[in-house]
């Protein structure tokens, strides 16, 4: 099913409009407000870093907030016949963008969606960014964190799961070579947009940090 189906009006669903997003969900008004504020602040931060032209989109962006994995399950992506149990999903089209997120308080939920939204904004900057750099930058920006009561934003924080995987891989089998990383495209066996626990994602994140 498409994410559009999830947005069909239901008795218990609420809607909130912020300057750049429409946020709907089967959650409380305060949760919708918190999600909208997080995305608005992330957008504002990247506007200051990358420029206003990068953050401008010609079509609406709808954020759909699900309260649990169970509620989101019918809309999870399927890869090679297997349901990918991720905490969110992005679908872009010519006339609308959908961002779906599970907002159940578990760590890492928002980072997956900020990764996807970063892809959307970077596509406004260039359509020819190499796969390794596109994924590395999206992972870099996905660590966005608000501090000082929402008055300060931090980008480029550590991702503990990537650090642990890099250490484990280095000790066991060795990391991918630079030639292998730079040669990855969307058709490569190493690439899977829904598998961000792979050594490919960990290495391109680290390489982007180095640059």
């Amino acid at each position: 099913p498409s994410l559009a189906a999830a947005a069909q009006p239901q008795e218990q669903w609420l809607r909130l409009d912020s300057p750049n997003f429409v946020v709907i969900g089967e959650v409380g008004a305060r949760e919708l407000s918190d999600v909208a504020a997080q995305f608005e602040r992330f957008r504002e931060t990247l506007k200051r870093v990358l420029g206003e032209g990068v953050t401008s989109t010609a079509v609406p962006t709808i954020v759909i907030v699900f309260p649990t994995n169970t509620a989101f399950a019918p809309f999870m992506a399927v890869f090679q016949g297997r349901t990918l149990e991720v905490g969110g999903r992005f679908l872009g089209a010519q006339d609308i963008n959908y961002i779906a997120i599970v907002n159940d308080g578990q760590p890492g939920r928002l980072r997956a969606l900020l990764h996807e939204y970063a892809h959307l904004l970077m596509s406004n900057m260039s359509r020819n960014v190499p796969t390794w750099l596109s994924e590395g930058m999206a992972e870099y920006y996905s660590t966005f964190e608000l501090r000082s009561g929402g008055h300060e934003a931090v980008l480029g924080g550590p991702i503990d799961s990537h650090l642990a995987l890099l250490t484990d891989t280095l000790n066991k089998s060795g990391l991918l070579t630079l030639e292998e990383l730079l040669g990855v495209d969307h058709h490569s066996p190493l690439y899977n947009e829904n598998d961000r626990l792979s050594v490919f994602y960990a290495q391109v994140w680290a390489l982007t940090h180095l640059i």
Side-chain angles (χ1 to χ4, degrees), residues 101-124:
I101 180 172
V102 177
N103 192 42
D104 59 2
Q106 292 189 27
R109 291 298 199 194
L110 187 61
R111 193 173 72 77
L113 272 298
L114 297 182
H115 174 109
E116 297 294 354
Y117 186 59
H119 271 315
L120 170 65
L121 298 186
M122 285 187 294
S123 71
N124 293 335

Side-chain angles (χ1 to χ4, degrees), residues 59-115:
V59 300
T61 300
I62 312 296
V63 181
I64 306 169
V65 185
F66 292 90
T68 63
N69 261 343
T70 301
F72 181 49
F75 309 99
M76 289 181 178
V78 177
F79 181 73
Q80 295 181 347
R82 179 173 61 91
T83 299
L84 299 169
E85 296 186 7
V86 294
R89 190 178 177 191
F90 168 81
L91 289 176
Q94 291 185 343
D95 58 347
I96 198 165
N97 295 312
Y98 286 105
I99 297 176
I101 180 172
V102 177
N103 192 42
D104 59 2
Q106 292 189 27
R109 291 298 199 194
L110 187 61
R111 193 173 72 77
L113 272 298
L114 297 182
H115 174 109

Side-chain angles (χ1 to χ4, degrees), residues 191-210:
Y191 177 79
N192 178 2
E193 171 64 17
N194 293 292
D195 184 15
R196 299 196 194 98
L197 297 179
S198 71
V199 69
F200 168 73
Y201 277 90
Q203 281 194 239
V204 296
W205 165 76
L207 181 58
T208 302
H209 257 284
L210 177 63

Side-chain angles (χ1 to χ4, degrees), residues 42-61:
F42 182 56
R43 182 185 182 278
E44 176 65 22
T45 299
L46 292 193
K47 183 178 77 172
R48 298 188 185 195
V49 172
L50 301 174
E52 186 169 0
V54 174
T55 56
S56 298
T57 55
V59 300
T61 300

Side-chain angles (χ1 to χ4, degrees), residues 176-193:
L176 300 170
T177 67
L178 185 60
E179 182 178 8
E180 288 174 318
L181 284 181
L182 301 186
V184 169
D185 61 24
H186 288 80
H187 304 289
S188 301
L190 287 172
Y191 177 79
N192 178 2
E193 171 64 17

